[in-house]
Amino acid sequence: MTQVNISLPPIVEEYLNQQITQLGYNNLEEYIYQLILEDQKRNNREKLETMLI
């Protein structure tokens, strides 16, 4: 598995920590992974819609 390191301003880190707690994720990795999966699904839907038009 690939590791990615990013630097975030404190306000973004605070927001992420709130989201992780509110949405019930165990850690930042789970939250980011879910965001990426949702983004992939959205992109796939958009591609499909474009093909159907």
Side-chain angles (χ1 to χ4, degrees), residues 4 9 11 16 18 20 25 34 37 40 45 50 52-53:
V4 177
I11 193 165
L16 289 173
Q18 289 172 355
I20 290 164
Y25 291 100
Q34 188 62 38
L37 289 178
Q40 285 178 322
R45 271 194 311 270
T50 300
L52 294 173
I53 294 178

Side-chain angles (χ1 to χ4, degrees), residues 10-52:
I11 193 165
V12 174
E13 182 181 10
E14 183 179 322
Y15 172 78
L16 289 173
N17 288 329
Q18 289 172 355
Q19 289 298 100
I20 290 164
T21 301
Q22 289 176 1
L23 298 173
Y25 291 100
N26 291 315
N27 54 48
L28 179 61
E29 289 82 7
E30 282 184 11
Y31 179 65
I32 297 296
Y33 180 70
Q34 188 62 38
L35 290 176
I36 292 168
L37 289 178
E38 290 174 14
D39 187 54
Q40 285 178 322
K41 289 177 188 177
R42 182 186 52 79
N43 282 328
N44 288 337
R45 271 194 311 270
E46 289 175 359
K47 288 177 185 175
L48 181 59
E49 289 173 1
T50 300
M51 292 171 64
L52 294 173

